[in-house]
Amino acid sequence: MGEIWIKEAERLGGGSIGGAMDTPSAPPRVVWHTTESGTGDTSFKGVADYLIRIGAEPHILYDPTTDRLAQYGPLNQSARALKNDGLTRTNRTGAVCIQIEVLGRAANPFTSTWQPGPNFRALMRAIRSWGVPDAWPGGALAERYNDPNVSRSRTTWATKGGHYGHSQIPGNDHWDPGAINKNAIFAAAPVTPPPADSGSTSGSASTYTVKAGDTLSGIGAKTGVKWETIASLNGIKSPYVILVGQVLKLKDSTSTAPAKPAAKPVVSVAHLNVARAKDVPAPTGHTTYPAEVKIVEDALVKEGHLDKGYADGSWGTLTDAAYNAFRRKMGYTGSAATGSVGLESLKKLAARHGFVAVA
């Protein structure tokens, strides 16, 4: 089983939007939509509320210009963003059918102007955790309404896992998400490539060219190499989904290839200031970018400025006061020691506690 709730995502609504899948033995899939709206926080809130009001919630709402990510319901249940195809409940097709509404318009493909960041990579991590292949089995995406080049094959939809546009789903007449760059979706969240061959002679070796839908566990079964070893060699964690076209050099469990160091987490100043603006006036426990806020709070706990019990991912008044205390410790005074989070002070905290501060 893959991720049910994405820890980096905000929560929207009551947390339950659908039910069990009708064909859980069918391949997993994702459907990309566009909201036909503007972008930014004002549009995000307006669209989020509107989809709840009309009962058409997807699983995910994503802003490609701010990397803001929110989730309505669990990924292992259905959403409500598709029309049925006769008696076929398209929202309930597959092991999972993850519905993603992207702020933007089909006429202006969002991959031309987007700014994908850590939240988009978290979204792709969750998608891959269900074994959804990095593939678009439905063919061409629509470039306009009623585009004759678009297929809505019932057979493809029923039998092929991967990524689909709303325009490719049988029983539906929308043309979103437009002619987005399909390869850019995967390129924005690359899987760690295999390491260069170090010339080690320990263990036997073989190569395997990856095809659509392959996973490291699947390759392991085909080559007789344990998937744990393959994952270790390639620095890839569960569910071991890798990009089509890669050639892996695999070694058996006698290999002693060194493990790659873990990547440092990234915290955005812009995200912290959005969280600060939203969480402080909101009810206690409100979160906006909880994963990044929690990294900073944990660092402030270690600095001795925040009680561990308040490191909860919500940038409340105590977190604000703790960050101000850290700035004073670093020599900031007056207005420089209060207010919005600055990149310079965040870099100082990051250097002391093992994360990366970015604008």
Side-chain angles (χ1 to χ4, degrees):
M1 179 176 288
E3 292 185 39
I4 295 175
W5 292 99
I6 304 172
K7 64 179 185 295
E8 294 86 348
E10 305 169 38
R11 297 288 184 89
L12 297 174
S16 178
I17 55 174
M21 305 304 290
D22 288 345
T23 55
S25 62
R29 72 276 318 281
V30 173
V31 181
W32 295 86
H33 307 252
T34 48
T35 58
E36 302 307 299
S37 72
T39 58
D41 287 347
T42 300
S43 291
F44 197 98
K45 184 180 188 319
V47 170
D49 293 344
Y50 173 74
L51 291 173
I52 293 173
R53 190 163 60 250
I54 66 171
E57 300 98 315
H59 292 96
I60 300 295
L61 184 63
Y62 179 72
D63 187 337
T65 64
T66 65
D67 197 42
R68 188 174 177 183
L69 179 71
Q71 185 172 351
Y72 286 97
L75 300 185
N76 63 335
Q77 296 185 4
S78 67
R80 298 171 176 165
L82 295 173
K83 294 179 181 178
N84 289 341
D85 179 28
L87 297 178
T88 299
R89 300 195 292 183
T90 49
N91 286 299
R92 298 179 185 243
T93 300
V96 292
C97 183
I98 300 171
Q99 309 282 322
I100 304 168
E101 286 279 2
V102 180
L103 290 189
R105 302 181 188 279
N108 299 297
F110 65 82
T111 51
S112 299
T113 57
W114 66 337
Q115 299 292 326
N119 281 338
F120 183 80
R121 292 191 289 275
L123 171 59
M124 288 299 294
R125 180 197 69 223
I127 289 170
R128 288 167 174 150
S129 77
W130 288 98
V132 179
D134 285 2
W136 293 79
L141 291 168
E143 296 186 3
R144 61 186 184 278
Y145 184 68
N146 281 336
D147 188 335
N149 297 314
V150 174
S151 169
R152 292 190 173 94
S153 167
R154 290 187 171 97
T155 300
T156 299
W157 175 244
T159 62
K160 301 293 184 183
H163 294 249
Y164 291 83
H166 192 179
S167 59
Q168 298 172 319
I169 312 304
N172 288 251
D173 59 2
H174 291 212
W175 69 286
D176 56 313
I180 61 172
N181 183 333
K182 295 184 287 187
N183 290 331
I185 297 295
F186 310 134
V191 179
T192 306
D197 187 3
S198 63
S200 171
T201 58
S202 63
S204 59
S206 59
T207 60
Y208 188 88
T209 302
V210 181
K211 300 188 295 298
D214 282 340
T215 66
L216 285 175
S217 56
I219 294 171
K222 293 175 184 176
T223 62
V225 182
K226 293 181 179 179
W227 60 258
E228 294 94 340
T229 303
I230 301 170
S232 175
L233 285 171
N234 294 282
I236 303 173
K237 297 181 178 180
S238 179
Y240 317 110
V241 178
I242 51 186
L243 295 175
V244 173
Q246 286 185 357
V247 178
L248 301 183
K249 189 175 181 65
L250 310 178
K251 296 183 180 181
D252 67 17
S253 56
T254 64
S255 171
T256 57
K260 284 191 171 185
K264 293 182 179 179
V266 177
V267 177
S268 161
V269 167
H271 289 174
L272 294 184
N273 283 320
V274 170
R276 182 175 180 273
K278 292 178 177 293
D279 295 352
V280 170
T284 301
H286 181 276
T287 60
T288 306
Y289 288 102
E292 292 174 71
V293 170
K294 183 68 162 57
I295 291 169
V296 173
E297 288 178 324
D298 288 342
L300 293 172
V301 169
K302 294 175 182 176
E303 291 286 337
H305 301 308
L306 184 67
D307 186 274
K308 186 175 181 179
Y310 294 107
D312 58 358
S314 173
W315 192 289
T317 54
L318 293 177
T319 302
D320 207 46
Y323 194 82
N324 292 343
F326 170 75
R327 285 192 280 202
R328 291 193 294 271
K329 185 196 305 190
M330 293 295 102
Y332 293 89
T333 60
S335 60
T338 60
S340 298
V341 177
L343 182 57
E344 181 181 309
S345 63
L346 187 63
K347 282 184 175 180
K348 292 180 185 294
L349 187 64
R352 293 158 69 95
H353 297 282
F355 63 92
V356 178
V358 298

